[in-house]
Amino acid sequence: MVAFPPCKINLGLHILHKRTDGYHALETCFYPVPWTDILEVIPSDTLAFSQSGDTIPGDPHDNLCLRAYHLLQKDFTLPPVRIHLHKIIPTGAGLGGGSSDGAYTLRLLNDLFNLNLAPAALAAYAAQLGSDCAFFTQDAPQLGTGRGEILTNIGISLKGKFLVLAKPPIHVSTAEAYAGITPATPATPLTQILTQEPLAAWKGKLHNDFEASVFARHPSIEPLREKLYRAGAVYASMSGSGAAVFGIFDKGVDLAFDPGVLHWSGVLTR
Ligand SMILES: C[C@@](CO)(OP(=O)(O)O)[C@H](O)COP(=O)(O)OP(=O)(O)OC[C@H]1O[C@@H](n2ccc(N)nc2=O)[C@H](O)[C@@H]1O
Ligand SMILES: Nc1ncnc2c1ncn2[C@@H]1O[C@H](COP(=O)(O)OP(=O)(O)O)[C@@H](O)[C@H]1O
């Protein structure tokens, strides 16, 4: 079985407060983007994981695909599988690529072995892999609250809009990005902006709380966001904890980036 795990962007990201478990309470809108990895899971004699494409930092044994397998293995007697991941989504980008791979491994195992896990049960397993993972068990944009694992469909759609994503050669660690934040209560709740204001009014109203501290530490990121605005983006922002930035356009644009800046552009399909 083959799947194409997508990445996500965050439309607004408010860090509300630090919780007693060390995580931060947040509100964000996760939006799926069809810049995808390629993931294959097939039955095999022994459990094996292989990887091609971009290099993933860290020990392959800790890859979220394998962690997803071991998580389900605890509750179901899963036969061994061979997992191959072709990595395309940039890592350490705020695009949730690793989270998506983990969640899609759960989805493929559920289908392959007829585990009959409903979307809510899959989401609960995914949340054990990482705060962002539950979103990737869903097929539509979601408001994320709690530590990101409580999901609500708020019916927002940018289908048909043109998106440009650009990731400079900077790796931002999620944990480090959270450490640089002073949580605060937002002046306006995120859902109010997203559901009551048109896209054209988001600039200056919809904020990613990571931007200020990450832009200060990595001065090359903000100019990329400004480049997207200069090219005609209706709204542009850093995604998640960075370093990727995205611009939403009413029509297609053809942008050139400096060498080393990974980029993707295309029409949003969901
Ligand atoms: C910031 C966000 C925004 O969507 O995405 P990325 O920019 O990483 O893609 C997410 O909150 C990232 O979620 P995820 O990458 O799954 O994080 P996890 O593996 O659960 O946690 C990694 C570390 O980030 C911090 N963390 C994460 C989530 C959260 N709500 N509060 C936190 O403080 C903790 O220090 C934790 O140890
Ligand atoms: N399948 C995977 N793809 C990418 N990273 C992975 C994967 N499995 C584990 N990781 C680890 O997770 C870290 C963050 O991954 P990623 O989801 O790409 O970043 P972000 O949190 O910025 O969205 C990587 O640096 C890597 O060590």
Side-chain angles (χ1 to χ4, degrees), residues 34-269:
W35 192 6
T36 73
D37 289 337
I38 306 170
L39 176 66
E40 185 180 46
V41 179
I42 53 173
S44 176
D45 293 340
T46 50
L47 176 63
F49 174 75
S50 55
Q51 197 248 307
S52 56
D54 279 357
T55 304
I56 301 174
D59 184 345
H61 293 101
D62 292 334
N63 196 283
L64 280 151
C65 299
L66 273 179
R67 286 174 48 203
Y69 178 86
H70 291 303
L71 183 67
L72 287 184
Q73 174 72 352
K74 278 198 272 175
D75 291 345
F76 301 89
T77 40
L78 292 182
V81 293
R82 187 164 68 75
I83 302 174
H84 185 80
L85 173 66
H86 185 71
K87 192 71 197 167
I88 298 170
I89 302 167
T91 55
L95 298 175
S99 306
S100 185
D101 296 336
Y104 270 73
T105 304
L106 297 176
R107 292 173 73 148
L108 284 180
L109 292 169
N110 187 38
D111 292 346
L112 193 58
F113 298 121
N114 299 313
L115 304 182
N116 297 318
L117 292 167
L122 269 182
Y125 277 110
Q128 294 182 53
L129 294 174
S131 308
D132 263 2
C133 285
F135 163 66
F136 294 103
T137 64
Q138 312 295 306
D139 289 322
Q142 302 282 323
L143 177 77
T145 54
R147 61 182 169 90
E149 87 290 17
I150 301 173
L151 302 170
T152 313
N153 193 333
I154 52 168
I156 172 177
S157 177
L158 298 172
K159 195 173 172 179
K161 296 286 178 196
F162 194 81
L163 190 90
V164 177
L165 266 172
K167 196 260 175 194
I170 293 165
H171 184 285
V172 179
S173 136
T174 298
E176 257 176 55
Y178 272 105
I181 287 283
T182 306
T185 305
T188 314
L190 189 64
T191 41
Q192 192 175 318
I193 303 166
L194 290 173
T195 60
Q196 294 177 22
E197 301 280 1
L199 169 63
W202 288 0
K203 185 178 180 182
K205 287 188 183 152
L206 192 61
H207 297 288
N208 175 343
D209 284 351
F210 285 116
E211 277 189 343
S213 58
V214 175
F215 284 177
R217 256 180 296 134
H218 305 285
S220 64
I221 303 178
E222 189 172 10
L224 260 189
R225 189 192 65 175
E226 295 320 302
K227 179 185 171 91
L228 296 173
Y229 272 130
R230 277 200 311 279
V234 186
Y235 178 73
S237 171
M238 191 173 77
S239 182
S241 56
V245 297
F246 65 86
I248 304 168
F249 296 78
D250 282 328
K251 55 181 174 27
V253 286
D254 191 10
L255 281 175
F257 291 96
D258 290 342
V261 175
L262 300 170
H263 52 97
W264 177 93
S265 57
V267 174
L268 290 171
T269 50

